[in-house]
Amino acid sequence: MDKVTSYIKECETEFMQLLGLTSFPIYEIAYKDISLSVSDEQGYDSLGSAHYDYKTGKHTLTVWSNIHTLGEVGKQTIFHEFTHILDDETYVNKDPEKYIANHGYTEYHAAQIGFLKVLGVKSIKQNISFSMSDFIDTESGYMSIQDYVDAPLLLANELIGHANFPTEFKVLKDTMGVIFNYFGRRSICKMYSKDYQDNADTSTIEKPLTHAMCSFLKTYLIGVLTNQQIAVLGKFYKDMFLALVNRYHV
């Protein structure tokens, strides 16, 4: 077994321990290089991604070919992507309608799980507490938890602020994903932070979402969602996203 595969399998074991899982979906591993051109064009490039083929049910985890050299920091990305694999297997199960609807929830959920990994949580059953001024080591560098939570909101603001936003379907989808990442990190703070203050400026993301939609998300996305809540969020997301696709003609 090569070093990257061994590293990913180690992540899989730790991921299952965190969530108390006894099994995990089968997936293939693919490799990528970090692209400066993609980063310049999109404003970011990720260390990894998960793809689900809803026609065949096949999962593919694509990671940077040297992600194993990042140690615990690289595992944050893999935990995020493992959550997508788990959610697609659980809530989509080869249904193309549910594949669209699940996007908002799985980005929210993946951000929650990735945050727990950043905090060094080994099991969701353990007691969790932190301050927003605590510092953590992340894939984006050493920063305060406050800055870590704000990061996806700032990225969403930047993407929405680009001329002719959104330039294509992928940009719109990725931007919605980043917004739901923000709400996922925010929810962990609302559950476990000793001093979180929910006063972030969301006026920029309200431009595509509207104030009413954003208010709903602020109220709804505050913790661990039940299956019924996930279904409600799925319908909301699907209707919202298709409306945005029609509005922006992408």
Side-chain angles (χ1 to χ4, degrees), residues 38 41-42 44 163-176 241 244-245 248-250:
V38 170
E41 180 180 347
Q42 296 183 168
Y44 63 95
N164 302 318
F165 168 84
T167 53
E168 59 182 359
F169 178 87
K170 184 179 184 302
V171 172
L172 179 62
K173 184 173 182 283
D174 288 351
T175 302
M176 292 303 108
F241 188 72
L244 289 173
V245 169
Y248 290 115
H249 306 290
V250 292

Side-chain angles (χ1 to χ4, degrees), residues 12-64:
E12 183 180 324
T13 298
E14 293 177 4
F15 182 84
M16 291 173 64
Q17 290 173 344
L18 173 66
L19 296 182
L21 303 176
T22 57
S23 63
F24 190 73
I26 296 172
Y27 57 93
E28 292 187 1
I29 301 172
Y31 301 101
K32 62 171 286 184
D33 291 321
I34 299 297
S35 171
L36 292 177
S37 62
V38 170
S39 181
D40 289 340
E41 180 180 347
Q42 296 183 168
Y44 63 95
D45 190 17
S46 68
L47 294 170
S49 62
H51 174 72
Y52 179 63
D53 185 337
Y54 57 76
K55 295 179 180 179
T56 63
K58 176 184 175 182
H59 300 278
T60 304
L61 173 69
T62 302
V63 297
W64 179 43

Side-chain angles (χ1 to χ4, degrees), residues 110-161:
Q112 290 179 314
I113 300 304
F115 197 169
L116 293 180
K117 181 58 180 173
V118 171
L119 293 170
V121 175
K122 302 298 183 183
S123 169
I124 55 174
K125 295 181 179 180
Q126 74 185 67
N127 292 327
I128 305 169
S129 179
F130 58 85
S131 169
M132 300 304 293
S133 61
D134 291 344
F135 272 71
I136 49 177
D137 199 10
T138 79
E139 63 181 41
S140 301
Y142 192 61
M143 64 181 67
S144 70
I145 288 180
Q146 183 67 64
D147 287 343
Y148 176 75
V149 173
D150 290 341
L153 179 61
L154 296 177
L155 176 56
N157 291 346
E158 180 182 343
L159 294 171
I160 293 168

Side-chain angles (χ1 to χ4, degrees), residues 78-123:
I78 294 177
F79 270 48
H80 184 109
E81 302 308 329
F82 274 166
T83 309
H84 290 324
I85 291 173
L86 181 64
D87 289 342
D88 284 335
E89 183 78 9
T90 304
Y91 302 109
V92 178
N93 195 20
K94 299 184 181 180
D95 186 328
E97 296 286 325
K98 291 180 180 179
Y99 181 71
I100 297 172
N102 188 56
H103 182 240
Y105 170 69
T106 193
E107 291 294 353
Y108 171 77
H109 190 205
Q112 290 179 314
I113 300 304
F115 197 169
L116 293 180
K117 181 58 180 173
V118 171
L119 293 170
V121 175
K122 302 298 183 183
S123 169

